[in-house]
């Protein structure tokens, strides 16, 4: 097939988009996109599968001041292309022909760099060529700084940053006017104006890029040589990078004014909030015959309870076994992870690992119908893919304590069953209620043939191979997204695993007496089941505080002293005591945040009464700045 003139033109242009990164990230896999580690000279170790800005002729060691400019310098001195472009590991151009909604900062906000987003934003060779070829200069959107917070000019915008000094901007202005007096008019127009492109993101033809670099870097070198940064803080030290954002706009404005005749365009900027690599876990090196894999799920607020559960388990564990403790999470802070790992390092026969479920859970409308059930309960549906090297695992809720060795529980033979679990006394008691509501729900919503086989899902032995055969992770989560379930994931597991369950002894999941439910509900269960539960209360191997009555809210609750016997020995005991006292966790101090966060409910209201770009929006921002003492 003969190539069209358009295709031949695209084939001819060698477009190289250098993506600056100072931490590991996912990157689009195409010839036009070249990840480059910036500040490699100062890094502990170079990244694999990226370029490095300290190879060849470089200024990598200046990265703390020059930021992503060390990648630009490296490309100028070491790379050959027809077009040179620059993005960041979390910010890319939208190369697709589609236009998407953006915030006041001219950014499209998205989450992950994956196949879906790569296709959506045209992060592939053909789309990049179609968007770039034929143009001389491509930049990020031209933004009006009034939309950022009512700033009156780029100088005002600069001066509003508490880390940037207006004297430094004036110093660079003086250097520019001294070295290139023909740029004074353009510098005045840009810095006194309100519009500019930001983020040092651009794509230029080779000859323009080389001319720009030959103009830019001597200016910065002279500025740095005369700049006293001996006591600069980390952000102030980045001043040269910020100056380059303004200088880029001055450079383009000058050439447009003086008749360069460049064909220019702006492409939207896509800001990925989670560009990190896909989380993966590897099997332990130890003999798998001796490994007991135990999975928990929690969020950052639940760390004290999670730690108590893990501590109780390991305190009663068999030192001859290796316990692979895996926590499914998506917001546990690095500090809390370190605190947990340090505390539990007292158990040399255990490893504690964390798995970020954000990608796996993205795109599913998962809700809970009970206030004491959190969305983390759904994480168990991704275990079969997250841990492909395991055929069988234990899953434990975080609102429990363990009084025996769970290796014994793990050794339960499941045969062809998908699940090992304890019958749910609460559900079975409700089935026998005269009102018939639970029976009607079970028939209508769950369609179970034997509703009295319903199990409690807080303690599970999971046959992952059988679970994989039943449904893919996507299928499990699609079912979980359906409305109408009372107990959410627990209902779904019972519905889908009916007839494929091995029932465990009651002592492995002894639910406490929440609000008198032992006599008020459990006693209505079939007599054999109820007697089995009552006997297990005398020798509980796991006590499960399912329901709203938790020992960190009510230390007088059933089995409360047992819980605190473990909890008081953890480093989070004081946090739990604060919860008891009604002391709320302080909100973290956040700096450099947008005036209204993207996910704030206030923003939804503001977007209605004062749409982005409207006079009302600009007025609100001016008022907000004045209230903050800014002019």
């Amino acid at each position: 097939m003969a190539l069209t003139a358009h295709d031949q033109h695209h084939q001819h242009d060698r477009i190289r988009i250098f993506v600056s990164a100072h931490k590991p990230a996912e990157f689009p896999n195409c010839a036009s996109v070249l990840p480059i580690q910036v500040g490699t000279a100062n890094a502990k170790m170079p990244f694999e599968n990226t370029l490095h800005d300290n190879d060849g002729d470089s200024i990598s060691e200046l990265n703390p001041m020059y930021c992503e400019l060390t990648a630009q310098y490296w490309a100028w001195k070491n790379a050959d292309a027809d077009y040179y472009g620059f993005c960041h590991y979390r910010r890319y151009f939208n190369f697709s022909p589609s236009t998407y909604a953006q915030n006041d900062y001219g950014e499209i906000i998205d989450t992950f760099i994956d196949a879906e987003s790569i296709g959506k934003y045209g992060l592939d060779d053909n789309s990049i060529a179609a968007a770039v070829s034929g143009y001389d200069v491509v930049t990020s959107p031209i933004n009006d700084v009034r939309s950022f917070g009512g700033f009156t000019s780029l100088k005002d915008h600069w001066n509003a940053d508490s880390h940037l000094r207006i004297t430094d901007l004036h110093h660079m202005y003086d250097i520019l006017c001294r070295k290139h007096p023909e740029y004074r008019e353009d510098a005045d127009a840009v810095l006194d104006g309100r519009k500019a492109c930001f983020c040092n993101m651009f794509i230029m033809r080779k000859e323009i890029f080389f001319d720009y670099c030959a103009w830019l870097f001597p200016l910065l070198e002279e500025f740095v040589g005369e700049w006293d940064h001996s006591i600069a803080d980390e952000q102030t030290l980045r001043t040269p990078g910020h100056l380059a954002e303004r200088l880029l706009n001055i450079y383009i404005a000058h050439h447009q004014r003086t008749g360069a005749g460049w064909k220019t365009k702006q492409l939207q900027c896509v800001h990925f909030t989670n560009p990190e690599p896909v989380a993966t876990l590897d099997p332990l090196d130890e003999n798998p015959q001796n490994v007991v894999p135990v999975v928990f799920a929690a969020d950052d607020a639940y760390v004290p309870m999670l730690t108590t559960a893990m501590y109780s388990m390991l305190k009663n564990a068999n030192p001859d076994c290796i316990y692979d403790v895996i926590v499914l999470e998506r917001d546990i802070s690095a500090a809390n992870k370190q605190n947990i790992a340090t505390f539990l390092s007292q158990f040399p026969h255990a490893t504690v690992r964390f798995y970020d479920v954000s990608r796996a859970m993205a795109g599913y409308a998962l809700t809970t119908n009970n206030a004491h059930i959190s969305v983390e309960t759904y994480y168990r549906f991704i275990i079969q893919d997250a841990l492909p090297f395991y055929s069988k695992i234990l899953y434990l809720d975080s609102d429990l304590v363990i009084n025996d060795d769970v290796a014994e529980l793990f050794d339960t033979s499941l045969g062809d069953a998908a699940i090992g679990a304890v019958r749910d006394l609460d559900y079975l008691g409700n089935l026998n209620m005269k009102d018939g509501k639970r029976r009607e729900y079970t028939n209508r919503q769950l369609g179970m043939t034997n509703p009295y086989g319903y199990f409690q899902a807080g303690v599970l032995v999971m046959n992952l191979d059988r679970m994989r055969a039943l449904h893919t992770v996507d299928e499990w989560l699609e079912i979980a997204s359906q409305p109408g379930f009372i107990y959410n994931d627990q209902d779904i597991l019972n519905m889908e695993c009916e007839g494929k369950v091995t029932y465990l002894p009651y002592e492995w999941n002894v639910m406490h007496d929440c609000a008198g439910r032992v006599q008020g509900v459990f006693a209505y269960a079939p007599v054999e089941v109820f007697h089995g539960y009552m006997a297990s209360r005398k020798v509980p191997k796991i006590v499960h505080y399912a329901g709203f009555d938790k020992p960190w809210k009510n230390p007088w609750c059933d089995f409360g002293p047992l819980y605190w016997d473990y909890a008081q020995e953890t480093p989070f005991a004081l946090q739990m005591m604060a919860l008891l006292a009604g002391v709320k966790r302080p909100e973290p101090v956040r700096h450099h945040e947008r005036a209204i966060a993207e996910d704030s409910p206030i923003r939804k209201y503001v977007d209605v009464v004062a749409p982005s770009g409207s006079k009302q929006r600009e007025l609100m921002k001016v008022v907000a700045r004045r209230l903050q003492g800014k002019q």
Side-chain angles (χ1 to χ4, degrees), residues 27-40:
F27 300 102
N29 183 20
C30 65
S32 304
V33 175
L34 300 176
I36 178 168
Q37 182 182 3
V38 293
T40 314

Side-chain angles (χ1 to χ4, degrees), residues 391 416-419 463-471 500:
S391 297
D416 192 45
I419 292 287
N463 180 345
L464 295 185
D465 288 340
R466 192 74 172 92
M467 296 289 288
R468 294 175 183 120
L470 285 175
H471 290 296
K500 309 172 188 70

Side-chain angles (χ1 to χ4, degrees), residues 449-460:
T449 302
N450 175 25
Y452 289 93
Y454 190 101
F455 57 84
Q456 214 283 335
V459 176
L460 298 175

Side-chain angles (χ1 to χ4, degrees), residues 564-601:
W564 280 98
D565 189 46
Y566 292 111
Q568 66 181 340
E569 296 183 7
T570 74
F572 301 100
L574 285 177
Q575 293 182 19
M576 299 180 78
M577 292 176 187
L579 290 174
L580 278 174
V583 177
K584 291 186 177 180
R585 180 183 182 181
E587 289 294 325
V589 177
R590 301 184 187 276
H591 298 286
H592 307 297
E593 278 197 318
R594 294 173 174 154
I596 305 175
E598 289 299 313
D599 58 353
S600 169

